[in-house]
Amino acid sequence: MKYDLVIFDIDRTLLDFDKAEEYAIEETIGFFNINYKKSYHLENYKAINKKLWEDFEQGLISAEKLKSERFRRLSEKLNLGLDAKQLSDKYLEFLAEGAFFVAGALEILKDLYPEHKLLVITNGLSKVQHGRINKLAINDYFEEVIISEEVGIAKPNPELFEYAFTKVGHKDKDTAIIIGDSLSSDIQGGVNFGIDTCWFNPDGKSNNTELNPTYEISQLHQLKDILQVKKVS
């Protein structure tokens, strides 16, 4: 099957978000002269953040509110005595610096471009996503970078995909595919919109949902077989 439009998620698909997140939390806590303890600060933050992003996917909280609310809850739980907005601003500054590729990400972008039209659809925050994409100099690979915070709609809402298709002038759903690590946003979003999906599952997680991705891969180079990339002799 020929896919003309290849849609990528960013976090944990092309970029190593976990590494960036750990870097940003450690730098933020240290900036406020607090002795950083990974098992204490990072793990508590991740639990709070995960719940809020789940709320965001369901439309229960805005991206703007999420930014400070996670740090309000963290400061309260850990008795940090710090202003949530100051924590948030500093964290986003450091997170935008945390630009690290997932293994094989740059190589697959080079292999697919320019034979395929590449697009990003991400639920991430504008400052962070633009900062990391620019730092890694990969913006030119993409027709568009669609960020939910800027549009006001989040995956898995099919309206975000409709917006993206209109933005790049693509109409044929049969020639589009989304690649992402999240069953609840990337794969569900693709299913909701009616396009093929590819679940990037490097850790071999179990699929405990009723979703059936069109494809499942554990390494990004496996996309070349799915997308029928021509081999250079």
Side-chain angles (χ1 to χ4, degrees):
M1 181 177 288
K2 173 67 173 178
Y3 294 105
D4 296 319
L5 180 63
V6 182
I7 304 168
F8 281 101
D9 174 48
I10 282 286
D11 292 322
R12 299 188 180 95
T13 301
L14 291 177
L15 302 188
D16 189 335
F17 182 77
D18 295 313
K19 187 174 181 180
E21 181 180 59
E22 182 175 347
Y23 166 81
I25 284 292
E26 182 172 2
E27 292 297 316
T28 300
I29 295 299
F31 178 85
F32 289 98
N33 298 313
I34 297 172
N35 185 29
Y36 175 74
K37 294 181 181 179
K38 179 178 177 178
S39 61
Y40 184 63
H41 296 103
L42 179 62
E43 296 310 314
N44 275 287
Y45 170 78
K46 288 174 74 171
I48 291 169
N49 191 50
K50 182 176 184 293
K51 174 62 170 65
L52 285 170
W53 277 105
E54 289 171 353
D55 290 347
F56 177 70
E57 288 179 10
Q58 297 173 41
L60 300 177
I61 188 172
S62 68
E64 189 61 34
K65 176 69 174 175
L66 182 152
K67 293 178 192 178
S68 59
E69 177 61 18
R70 55 189 175 182
F71 286 101
R72 186 195 67 77
R73 295 185 187 185
L74 183 70
S75 184
E76 182 179 272
K77 183 174 183 179
L78 303 186
N79 297 311
L80 299 179
L82 296 171
D83 178 75
K85 187 177 187 308
Q86 289 183 332
L87 277 168
S88 176
D89 289 347
K90 188 53 63 175
Y91 171 77
L92 291 177
E93 182 180 312
F94 286 124
L95 190 61
E97 294 176 1
F100 312 104
F101 281 117
V102 165
L106 181 57
E107 290 77 9
I108 197 65
L109 292 178
K110 289 180 177 179
D111 285 340
L112 299 185
Y113 178 88
E115 187 178 340
H116 298 80
K117 186 186 297 183
L118 306 183
L119 171 68
V120 162
I121 301 181
T122 172
N123 277 357
L125 302 174
S126 298
K127 178 178 179 179
V128 174
Q129 305 301 52
H130 285 307
R132 293 186 296 156
I133 288 172
N134 290 337
K135 186 173 182 179
L136 292 171
I138 57 174
N139 196 68
D140 288 345
Y141 287 107
F142 306 116
E143 293 281 323
E144 292 285 345
V145 175
I146 307 296
I147 301 176
S148 60
E149 183 183 20
E150 297 175 351
V151 182
I153 311 167
K155 293 180 291 186
N157 191 325
E159 291 181 15
L160 183 61
F161 290 80
E162 189 69 56
Y163 173 89
F165 267 52
T166 300
K167 193 78 172 173
V168 298
H170 193 84
K171 297 180 180 180
D172 187 1
K173 293 183 181 181
D174 290 337
T175 61
I177 186 170
I178 181 170
I179 297 94
D181 69 293
S182 173
L183 289 167
S184 63
S185 64
D186 304 316
I187 306 307
Q188 185 67 68
V191 169
N192 289 350
F193 188 60
I195 61 174
D196 282 357
T197 60
C198 179
W199 184 29
F200 179 51
N201 185 22
D203 299 325
K205 297 177 182 177
S206 297
N207 181 357
N208 298 317
T209 73
E210 296 182 355
L211 292 170
N212 292 304
T214 314
Y215 308 97
E216 179 179 338
I217 59 173
S218 59
Q219 298 180 49
L220 289 174
H221 72 79
Q222 294 172 302
L223 280 175
K224 290 193 284 186
D225 289 333
I226 294 171
L227 302 176
Q228 300 177 0
V229 174
K230 297 175 183 177
K231 292 182 172 60
V232 179
S233 58

